[in-house]
Amino acid sequence: MPSLPSSMDPCPGRPKAPSFLSDLGKATLRGIRRCPRCGTYNGTRGLSCKNKTCGAVFRAGARRQPGTDAVRLLGGARGQLYSVRQRDSRCFVELGTSETAIQTPEGTLLTQLSSGRCHAPACAKAAADKQCQHLKLALGCQAEATPLPLKSSVLGAVQAPAEAKQSLWALATEPTGPLVQRVTKSVLVVKCQASTRHGLGYLHASFGQRRFSCACRPPGHGRAQRRQQHREEEEEEDEEEEEEAPPARCIHFLACICAFASDESLAREFSEFLASDGSGGTGRVWGLKGTVTPQLLRGPGLAPRARGAAAARAKKRKRDPGPGCHQVLDESQVSLSFQEWLGSVTERIHQTMHYQFEGHPEPLVFHIPQSFFEALQQRISSGSGKKRLPNSTTEFVRRDALPLGTFSKYTWHITNVLQVKQIFDTPEVPLEITRSFVQNRDGSYEPFRSPRVEVEPLPEGLGPHEKQPPLRPLELQTFLKVGHTSPTQKEPTPFTIEWIPDILPRSRLGELRLKFQYGHHGGPRQPPGRGDPPPEPPLATITFP
């Protein structure tokens, strides 16, 4: 192919190709491809996008952290805080709203705009008006982190310096959210002291196969420290063994293992970490070996055999796939205790006290054995030397509904809210006299689940601690209306218990009815109407640095 004259060359300033490349033809895009998410050009052999702010995965062989792309955290201090997947790690994203006031001849016009900030290092340096992929994932987030409990008895029994335990307990009792939250199967978010590196006061920690990593230390820090110690002590260890050894622990590891040990199911799942001394070869023992773990795992020898027991159970499931024709359930062994039933009643009361509805609900109706009501009547009469008689007894004839006949109805009016709590309290489901709620973006309300922190007496050396008041988000609450709930009220509001025995005479089942009212604390309650669009959420001023 003859070359073009210089006057006809479309790119006269470009250096001419050598003569042996003159017949290559038109250039193609062979060997590269565009990322479908961000448009960056990548090699066809690439496993994931080389754009660090994108992290799109092209092939199943790419290392991708399992779990949800974005998870909403509980108790964000300044707004809604999210943990978002960032290639092989995770980053934090803040979402909120900003309010602007504009003066017009008609008055003040308030505008509310959604705002957000990504704390990934690569995104923080990008333009402020450019929305990164992490912000988009947070905006479409539907998942929520799981708060982990923390018992002070576990924290007191752990082998760690007293100042470290005091620091953790102070963080755990702050009303800004739980100390440890679970984001994915292996990734946790731990509350920490705010610093220039962790300005939000949160960081990520992960537990893998006998390995723990924390964002408080740069990658490879634990490995370098172990190698330094290896050189100093001149120990001859196998390199593979050295890589599998756990790294030196930090205070955030202490927070995680205390949270694991505070819950029986978590203690079984992370039994390998709880059974180790946690020193990582540093001589600093921050573990639970020989203290709390044996009691939680039901026997001191169970933790090392946890994996073998799980494998044995899996083999058994393969031989016997589960309930079916090979297993016969003994009906005589199926029973419901009074406290289990009463716990369900208490849970029904909680469900009824919803901020989104009026405070005059329909009566709660239960059909229960006579023995259950006799046990409930003992609770009604508790504190008195004799059985408390009903406030009224009524004979009535039922003709317009089944069952037909003449029945007796016994009614008790309880006008002391503490007595109501004493009647319906159970060890598993204590009665909540007040319930807290948060408002969603669509104007609806949902109960606020505060972190499960059990306040227990601390052992000597930790010092006294004050009981923290419960967190009341936005002061949106419902409360039981029992007794005098307002200064102008003349007659007390009762919590009414009605009992109609022998609704089913052969089975000795009666009908229990609970009638009560509840009120609302906080801003104006605006439940969304049926068929109407939900109202806008209340205006709030949230400023991001």
Side-chain angles (χ1 to χ4, degrees), residues 92-135:
F92 291 109
V93 170
E94 281 183 293
L95 294 181
T97 55
S98 59
E99 179 182 312
T100 304
I102 303 176
Q103 297 293 335
T104 63
E106 292 77 12
T108 302
L109 178 63
L110 295 179
T111 61
Q112 191 179 49
L113 299 175
S114 298
S115 60
R117 180 185 178 188
C118 179
H119 290 265
C123 300
K125 298 178 183 178
D129 57 346
K130 184 179 179 181
Q131 191 178 63
C132 66
Q133 186 65 26
H134 308 126
L135 282 170

Side-chain angles (χ1 to χ4, degrees), residues 210-212 222 226 241-249 253 273 276-282:
R210 296 183 59 194
R211 296 188 182 184
F212 167 78
R226 292 196 304 275
E241 230 175 35
E242 182 186 3
E243 290 296 326
E244 290 184 354
R249 304 311 187 193
F253 173 80
F273 289 94
S276 66
D277 62 3
S279 65
T282 62

Side-chain angles (χ1 to χ4, degrees), residues 20-295:
F20 65 89
L21 297 179
S22 60
D23 60 345
L24 290 180
K26 185 178 179 181
T28 65
L29 295 180
R30 245 181 115 177
I32 63 173
R33 61 177 170 181
R34 295 191 66 178
C35 173
R37 179 178 290 180
C38 67
T40 303
Y41 283 101
N42 298 268
T44 54
R45 294 187 179 183
L47 299 179
S48 61
C49 182
K50 64 183 180 182
N51 180 7
K52 294 184 178 181
T53 63
C54 174
V57 177
F58 302 145
R59 284 200 252 166
R63 292 181 58 193
R64 173 175 175 175
Q65 186 164 335
T68 311
D69 286 342
V71 180
R72 180 181 176 183
L73 303 180
L74 302 180
R78 291 176 288 182
Q80 297 180 8
L81 188 61
Y82 297 82
S83 170
V84 182
R85 183 181 61 81
Q86 179 192 238
R87 302 196 76 177
D88 294 339
S89 61
R90 300 187 76 89
C91 64
F92 291 109
V93 170
E94 281 183 293
L95 294 181
T97 55
S98 59
E99 179 182 312
T100 304
I102 303 176
Q103 297 293 335
T104 63
E106 292 77 12
T108 302
L109 178 63
L110 295 179
T111 61
Q112 191 179 49
L113 299 175
S114 298
S115 60
R117 180 185 178 188
C118 179
H119 290 265
C123 300
K125 298 178 183 178
D129 57 346
K130 184 179 179 181
Q131 191 178 63
C132 66
Q133 186 65 26
H134 308 126
L135 282 170
K136 296 178 181 178
L137 291 174
L139 288 171
C141 172
Q142 299 293 331
E144 191 174 76
T146 303
L148 303 189
L150 178 64
K151 293 182 178 179
S152 60
S153 59
V154 173
L155 184 59
V158 72
Q159 301 174 19
E163 57 270 16
K165 294 190 278 188
Q166 287 177 341
S167 299
L168 284 184
W169 188 250
L171 288 173
T173 52
E174 285 181 359
T176 56
L179 178 65
V180 183
Q181 305 181 50
R182 194 170 191 178
V183 176
T184 68
K185 183 175 180 62
S186 59
V187 178
L188 305 170
V189 169
V190 185
K191 195 188 300 183
C192 65
Q193 295 291 343
S195 62
T196 54
R197 186 177 177 187
H198 306 288
L200 295 173
Y202 291 93
L203 54 79
H204 288 99
S206 63
F207 287 79
Q209 292 290 336
R210 296 183 59 194
R211 296 188 182 184
F212 167 78
S213 62
C214 183
C216 70
R217 300 182 179 185
H221 173 83
R223 189 182 305 113
Q225 187 178 24
R226 292 196 304 275
R227 289 175 178 172
Q228 176 67 23
Q229 185 183 9
H230 172 77
R231 287 193 297 266
E232 291 177 356
E233 298 179 358
E234 297 181 355
E235 295 178 353
E236 296 181 356
E237 297 180 356
D238 184 72
E239 184 178 355
E240 182 180 355
E241 230 175 35
E242 182 186 3
E243 290 296 326
E244 290 184 354
R249 304 311 187 193
C250 59
I251 192 173
H252 312 111
F253 173 80
L254 176 65
C256 293
I257 63 171
C258 287
F260 297 157
S262 299
D263 183 86
E264 187 173 352
S265 61
L266 292 173
R268 293 182 180 276
E269 182 177 353
F270 296 93
S271 58
E272 288 184 290
F273 289 94
L274 294 177
S276 66
D277 62 3
S279 65
T282 62
R284 182 173 56 183
V285 179
W286 280 15
L288 293 169
K289 187 175 182 180
T291 55
V292 183
T293 309
Q295 288 78 14

Side-chain angles (χ1 to χ4, degrees), residues 194-511:
S195 62
T196 54
R197 186 177 177 187
H198 306 288
L200 295 173
Y202 291 93
L203 54 79
H204 288 99
S206 63
F207 287 79
Q209 292 290 336
R210 296 183 59 194
R211 296 188 182 184
F212 167 78
S213 62
C214 183
C216 70
R217 300 182 179 185
H221 173 83
R223 189 182 305 113
Q225 187 178 24
R226 292 196 304 275
R227 289 175 178 172
Q228 176 67 23
Q229 185 183 9
H230 172 77
R231 287 193 297 266
E232 291 177 356
E233 298 179 358
E234 297 181 355
E235 295 178 353
E236 296 181 356
E237 297 180 356
D238 184 72
E239 184 178 355
E240 182 180 355
E241 230 175 35
E242 182 186 3
E243 290 296 326
E244 290 184 354
R249 304 311 187 193
C250 59
I251 192 173
H252 312 111
F253 173 80
L254 176 65
C256 293
I257 63 171
C258 287
F260 297 157
S262 299
D263 183 86
E264 187 173 352
S265 61
L266 292 173
R268 293 182 180 276
E269 182 177 353
F270 296 93
S271 58
E272 288 184 290
F273 289 94
L274 294 177
S276 66
D277 62 3
S279 65
T282 62
R284 182 173 56 183
V285 179
W286 280 15
L288 293 169
K289 187 175 182 180
T291 55
V292 183
T293 309
Q295 288 78 14
L296 288 174
L297 299 182
R298 300 183 185 274
L302 182 58
R305 299 194 299 267
R307 185 178 298 177
R313 287 194 297 270
K315 291 181 180 178
K316 184 178 180 181
R317 282 195 295 269
K318 289 182 180 179
R319 293 194 301 265
D320 191 353
C325 59
H326 299 291
Q327 295 182 354
V328 178
L329 184 64
D330 187 357
E331 296 179 353
S332 63
Q333 300 300 319
V334 180
S335 62
L336 177 69
S337 68
F338 168 74
Q339 285 199 352
E340 291 173 337
W341 166 80
L342 188 60
S344 69
V345 175
T346 305
E347 192 171 359
R348 284 280 303 278
I349 296 175
H350 292 165
Q351 290 179 345
T352 306
M353 295 170 57
H354 202 284
Y355 197 89
Q356 196 160 317
F357 299 91
E358 297 292 339
H360 302 275
E362 293 293 326
L364 303 183
V365 181
F366 306 89
H367 291 90
I368 59 174
Q370 177 71 30
S371 59
F372 275 26
F373 179 76
E374 291 173 356
L376 183 66
Q377 191 176 11
Q378 286 184 0
R379 288 180 167 238
I380 297 175
S381 304
S382 178
S384 176
K386 56 183 179 180
K387 183 180 295 186
R388 174 173 171 174
L389 298 177
N391 294 80
S392 64
T393 303
T394 307
E395 297 286 335
F396 68 97
V397 179
R398 182 179 286 177
R399 295 191 178 94
D400 55 350
L402 295 174
L404 305 176
T406 302
F407 300 94
S408 299
K409 180 173 68 174
Y410 304 93
T411 305
W412 286 262
H413 296 304
I414 313 299
T415 56
N416 187 327
V417 71
L418 296 181
Q419 186 181 3
V420 175
K421 181 171 175 59
Q422 177 268 323
I423 293 174
F424 294 99
D425 258 351
T426 66
E428 296 296 329
V429 189
L431 178 66
E432 299 175 7
I433 298 176
T434 61
R435 302 195 70 211
S436 298
F437 291 81
V438 293
Q439 188 174 20
N440 298 319
R441 294 180 181 178
D442 60 356
S444 61
Y445 301 90
E446 63 177 332
F448 173 76
R449 295 181 294 273
S450 60
R452 297 180 296 167
V453 177
E454 300 186 16
V455 179
E456 301 174 358
L458 293 178
E460 295 182 3
L462 287 183
H465 63 277
E466 297 180 359
K467 186 176 181 180
Q468 299 291 331
L471 179 63
R472 298 181 175 89
L474 302 180
E475 295 296 334
L476 300 180
Q477 285 189 333
T478 59
F479 64 95
L480 273 176
K481 277 189 172 182
V482 179
H484 293 84
T485 56
S486 65
T488 58
Q489 186 175 353
K490 295 182 180 180
E491 294 295 329
T493 304
F495 188 104
T496 303
I497 301 175
E498 295 180 351
W499 172 246
I500 305 175
D502 295 334
I503 288 290
L504 300 176
R506 296 184 61 181
S507 304
R508 294 205 67 195
L509 290 180
E511 183 177 281

